[in-house]
Amino acid sequence: MIIKRLTIKNFGKIHDKTMELSPGINVLYGENESGKTTVHTFLKSMLYGIRRQRGRAAKTDAYSMYEPWENPAVYGGTLWFENGGKSFRLTRNFYKADQKNELICEDDGELLDVEKGDLDAILGGVSEVVYENTVSVAQLKSVTGQNLVRELQNYMASYQGTGDSSVDLGRAMQMLKMNRKGFQVQAQKLKKETEQEKEKIAVSMDYVRKEMDRLTEQQEEVYAQEESLQMTREDDGEELLNDRIEQVQRSLQTNVLMMAATVAAVLGVIIVLGGLLPDMIYPRILAGILGVCLLAWEFLERRRLGEELERRYRIKNRWMQKQEKLRWNRESIQESWKEKETALQNLETDYREVQERAYLPLAEEVEIDALNLAMETIERLSGNIHNHVGERLRLRTSQILSEITGGRYREVLMDAGFHMTVNTQERTVPLGNLSRGTMEQIYFALRMAAGELLCGRERFPVILDDVFGMYDEERLAAVLKWLEKEQRQVIISTCHKREMEILEKEGIPYRQLPL
């Protein structure tokens, strides 16, 4: 990618400013507060837009910082650049109430859509974070941040060994984790439901057992009552009652016979006395009176026996009714008890089935095992990829560092977290023990190597905003030589003439862009 020209229509303190850039080294020279950082921010905003924050953050965000005081409705500019052998013109207006983006291919006149990702495609998918942490070094930000570490780790997670990231291992791992989480939640839910079902069945079983115990007690009470009614003895109560009724009935029959015999006897005595003593009436009267008294007594006895028979029939009927009720209660209790027994057996069967189901692996657990295996495989692949790509990054960083230090530092060592030490061939030295100038060189080498790795085929311009403050002339000359050798477009912002003097001394062509 080559930036050919830029026009700042209205951005920060700069108005109607056009700059022509060369494909090689460009030096943006100006005094402090002249607008060098504004140009640096303008370039980034043209490529990636400028986002307005909300709330309190909106007062100090980049949008507010560079919003023009005069004519704020015109807030932006135009950028002409080459990429992939084609020329493009990008025009933006950042004004919040009238945002506009226009991207056109000047070779064929095709109008492209920034909002739909056409610009991102032209830039090769290089994100703003990658841009800010590799090829674009802002003032006082030469030290790489954790964002670069994350981008490198993400790149390594998606790298396929040949640089093809069409299959994103990092995203695949993330999707597997999300799927596993879903299955884990479902498995936990099913296990919880199973435990709840077991508890529910156990409570039901306990309730049924208590009901069976209650029915057993009721049945024992019925047996006791039947025992008291002589319903369970050998001499059955009904037979006893029938015998007593029969006794009364026999007494009644005897009474009838006695009354008949009494009448016959009185009549016989009267007839005999009438034949023997025809002239004496008193004996016959006396015999009649005695007969009537005897009959009266027998009649009363018959009445008493009749009442006794009725009473014994009533007793038998009440006994039979009570017996029937007790028998119905007993049968009803036995039927209920059998129903409870069947219900208990069914509940015990259900409980055993739930227990067996709890010991069997869930389909979700099988899926979790499969996902764990897939994740372990990806982790092994990622580890191999990290070693491969991390080694490439380390070797390229070491190569760049060796070139810009004249071979003084030839090897950089870095771990998985990209913590670096320098191998001086005599010993390894942590970055914290090196001079600030050497540290700046190491970070510069890492940025350039990471830019080559993360930006792929797109060679973005290297944009350096006043970053050589800690470089001596020797270090600065070495970096400028390296940049010229790499044939990269470079935009150096500076408030010193030192860079231009060294470029002229080393015979390195450049274009000066005064502010």
Side-chain angles (χ1 to χ4, degrees), residues 165 221 331 360 434 471:
S165 59
E221 291 177 2
E331 291 175 354
L360 293 175
L434 298 171
Y471 283 54

Side-chain angles (χ1 to χ4, degrees), residues 375-394:
M375 290 169 64
E376 290 172 4
T377 303
I378 288 179
E379 285 178 355
R380 286 197 300 271
L381 289 174
S382 298
N384 295 334
I385 290 168
H386 184 278
N387 292 335
H388 179 73
V389 179
E391 184 64 10
R392 280 180 51 194
L393 177 66
R394 187 191 69 81

Side-chain angles (χ1 to χ4, degrees), residues 222 225 324-334:
V222 171
Q225 292 178 16
E324 185 64 27
K325 183 178 180 181
L326 289 172
R327 184 178 292 109
W328 182 87
N329 286 342
R330 174 166 47 79
E331 291 175 354
S332 176
I333 290 171
Q334 289 174 347

Side-chain angles (χ1 to χ4, degrees), residues 330-347:
R330 174 166 47 79
E331 291 175 354
S332 176
I333 290 171
Q334 289 174 347
E335 184 177 354
S336 296
W337 193 91
K338 288 180 180 179
E339 289 176 357
K340 299 296 181 184
E341 183 182 33
T342 301
L344 180 60
Q345 291 173 351
N346 292 335
L347 288 171

Side-chain angles (χ1 to χ4, degrees), residues 112-132:
L112 304 171
D113 195 329
V114 174
E115 300 299 330
K116 292 184 177 180
D118 289 344
L119 179 58
D120 292 337
I122 292 172
L123 298 179
V126 176
S127 68
E128 183 177 354
V129 172
V130 171
Y131 173 85
E132 286 187 319

Side-chain angles (χ1 to χ4, degrees), residues 81-142:
F81 64 94
E82 290 182 1
N83 195 73
K86 293 185 177 181
S87 298
F88 299 91
R89 184 183 73 235
L90 173 63
T91 303
R92 287 185 186 264
N93 185 6
F94 302 113
Y95 183 56
K96 59 186 178 182
D98 188 27
Q99 290 187 0
K100 294 179 181 178
N101 303 299
E102 182 186 88
L103 176 61
I104 188 169
C105 177
E106 294 185 318
D107 296 330
D108 54 19
E110 181 183 4
L111 188 63
L112 304 171
D113 195 329
V114 174
E115 300 299 330
K116 292 184 177 180
D118 289 344
L119 179 58
D120 292 337
I122 292 172
L123 298 179
V126 176
S127 68
E128 183 177 354
V129 172
V130 171
Y131 173 85
E132 286 187 319
N133 283 275
T134 55
V135 296
S136 176
V137 186
Q139 187 177 15
L140 302 179
K141 291 186 178 179
S142 59

Side-chain angles (χ1 to χ4, degrees), residues 119-182:
L119 179 58
D120 292 337
I122 292 172
L123 298 179
V126 176
S127 68
E128 183 177 354
V129 172
V130 171
Y131 173 85
E132 286 187 319
N133 283 275
T134 55
V135 296
S136 176
V137 186
Q139 187 177 15
L140 302 179
K141 291 186 178 179
S142 59
V143 176
T144 55
Q146 286 300 313
N147 285 335
L148 176 58
V149 173
R150 283 193 291 271
E151 288 294 327
L152 287 168
Q153 290 172 336
N154 290 339
Y155 176 83
M156 291 180 183
S158 62
Y159 185 76
Q160 298 301 300
T162 61
D164 178 14
S165 59
S166 59
V167 178
D168 191 335
L169 288 184
R171 181 170 177 79
M173 177 67 83
Q174 184 179 8
M175 293 300 296
L176 289 174
K177 288 181 178 178
M178 290 175 61
N179 289 337
R180 183 179 67 175
K181 182 64 176 177

Side-chain angles (χ1 to χ4, degrees), residues 60-313:
T60 57
D61 63 2
Y63 180 95
S64 300
M65 187 178 299
Y66 292 98
E67 184 178 16
W69 288 10
E70 298 180 2
N71 194 15
V74 180
Y75 181 12
T78 304
L79 182 68
W80 289 263
F81 64 94
E82 290 182 1
N83 195 73
K86 293 185 177 181
S87 298
F88 299 91
R89 184 183 73 235
L90 173 63
T91 303
R92 287 185 186 264
N93 185 6
F94 302 113
Y95 183 56
K96 59 186 178 182
D98 188 27
Q99 290 187 0
K100 294 179 181 178
N101 303 299
E102 182 186 88
L103 176 61
I104 188 169
C105 177
E106 294 185 318
D107 296 330
D108 54 19
E110 181 183 4
L111 188 63
L112 304 171
D113 195 329
V114 174
E115 300 299 330
K116 292 184 177 180
D118 289 344
L119 179 58
D120 292 337
I122 292 172
L123 298 179
V126 176
S127 68
E128 183 177 354
V129 172
V130 171
Y131 173 85
E132 286 187 319
N133 283 275
T134 55
V135 296
S136 176
V137 186
Q139 187 177 15
L140 302 179
K141 291 186 178 179
S142 59
V143 176
T144 55
Q146 286 300 313
N147 285 335
L148 176 58
V149 173
R150 283 193 291 271
E151 288 294 327
L152 287 168
Q153 290 172 336
N154 290 339
Y155 176 83
M156 291 180 183
S158 62
Y159 185 76
Q160 298 301 300
T162 61
D164 178 14
S165 59
S166 59
V167 178
D168 191 335
L169 288 184
R171 181 170 177 79
M173 177 67 83
Q174 184 179 8
M175 293 300 296
L176 289 174
K177 288 181 178 178
M178 290 175 61
N179 289 337
R180 183 179 67 175
K181 182 64 176 177
F183 282 119
Q184 286 173 338
V185 170
Q186 186 65 19
Q188 291 174 356
K189 180 182 177 183
L190 291 174
K191 286 184 177 180
K192 185 177 181 181
E193 289 176 353
T194 300
E195 289 300 319
Q196 290 176 344
E197 187 177 359
K198 283 176 61 179
E199 291 177 4
K200 183 178 179 181
I201 294 174
V203 170
S204 298
M205 289 168 60
D206 185 60
Y207 173 78
V208 172
R209 288 192 183 101
K210 290 180 179 178
E211 286 292 299
M212 292 176 69
D213 292 341
R214 183 179 62 80
L215 290 172
T216 300
E217 292 176 359
Q218 291 180 355
Q219 192 172 27
E220 290 175 353
E221 291 177 2
V222 171
Y223 281 141
Q225 292 178 16
E226 288 180 336
E227 179 71 20
S228 67
L229 292 176
Q230 297 180 346
M231 291 174 60
T232 59
R233 297 179 181 177
E234 293 182 358
D235 49 344
D236 186 58
E238 185 176 2
E239 293 181 1
L240 294 175
L241 291 174
N242 287 333
D243 289 343
R244 291 174 182 175
I245 290 173
E246 289 177 359
Q247 289 176 3
V248 176
Q249 288 176 338
R250 285 195 297 271
S251 297
L252 280 172
Q253 292 174 356
T254 302
N255 180 266
V256 171
L257 293 175
M258 289 178 63
M259 289 180 66
T262 300
V263 171
V266 170
L267 289 176
V269 169
I270 292 174
I271 292 171
V272 170
L273 290 175
L276 295 176
L277 300 172
D279 296 328
M280 295 180 67
I281 193 170
Y282 292 108
R284 291 196 297 272
I285 292 173
L286 180 61
I289 291 171
L290 290 173
V292 169
C293 289
L294 183 59
L295 285 172
W297 176 82
E298 290 176 345
F299 178 79
L300 291 174
E301 180 64 15
R302 177 180 177 80
R303 183 177 179 181
R304 184 188 67 78
L305 289 172
E307 291 175 354
E308 178 65 18
L309 182 61
E310 290 179 1
R311 186 178 69 83
R312 294 196 177 189
Y313 271 120

